[in-house]
Amino acid sequence: MSSPEDAPPASLSLAPVLDLKAATPLAEALLALRGRELAIDASGVERLGAQCLQVLLSARNTWAEDGVGFGVTDPSGPFVETLALLGAPYPTFFERAELAA
């Protein structure tokens, strides 16, 4: 029987509008991928709200605690700009970093 750690890396594309209504579905989608290396595609994001940012930050911390790779790829301009405005600049919080062996 295989474990989540044996599963291939996962990817998730973010919705264009990440507002309050999108927070719960985003959290559920992320929870379903827990334990797998994850690349989140943010290329289509047009609007990012604080609630979805909280979900993403929580996921980032959860993946780090689990020792599993996590990163946001191809961030759109609006995604990067909103992260900066909300105090979570992209390179610091979401750029993919290799895990130490």
Side-chain angles (χ1 to χ4, degrees):
M1 180 193 257
S2 64
S3 66
E5 296 83 25
D6 298 331
S11 62
L12 176 68
S13 293
L14 296 177
V17 177
L18 295 171
D19 58 7
L20 179 60
K21 290 187 221 178
T24 298
L26 176 59
E28 291 169 349
L30 289 165
L31 186 59
L33 298 170
R34 185 170 181 185
R36 295 176 62 187
E37 186 173 336
L38 180 60
I40 298 175
D41 179 357
S43 62
V45 175
E46 298 168 7
R47 205 169 26 158
L48 173 65
Q51 296 82 5
C52 284
L53 173 57
Q54 288 177 316
V55 170
L56 290 170
L57 288 169
S58 176
R60 173 187 169 264
N61 291 341
T62 298
W63 263 249
E65 288 173 6
D66 291 348
V68 181
F70 178 93
V72 175
T73 61
D74 301 320
S76 67
F79 183 82
V80 172
E81 291 166 13
T82 304
L83 287 176
L85 287 171
L86 294 174
Y90 171 74
T92 303
F93 287 89
F94 293 107
E95 195 167 54
R96 180 147 185 97
E98 294 303 316
L99 293 174

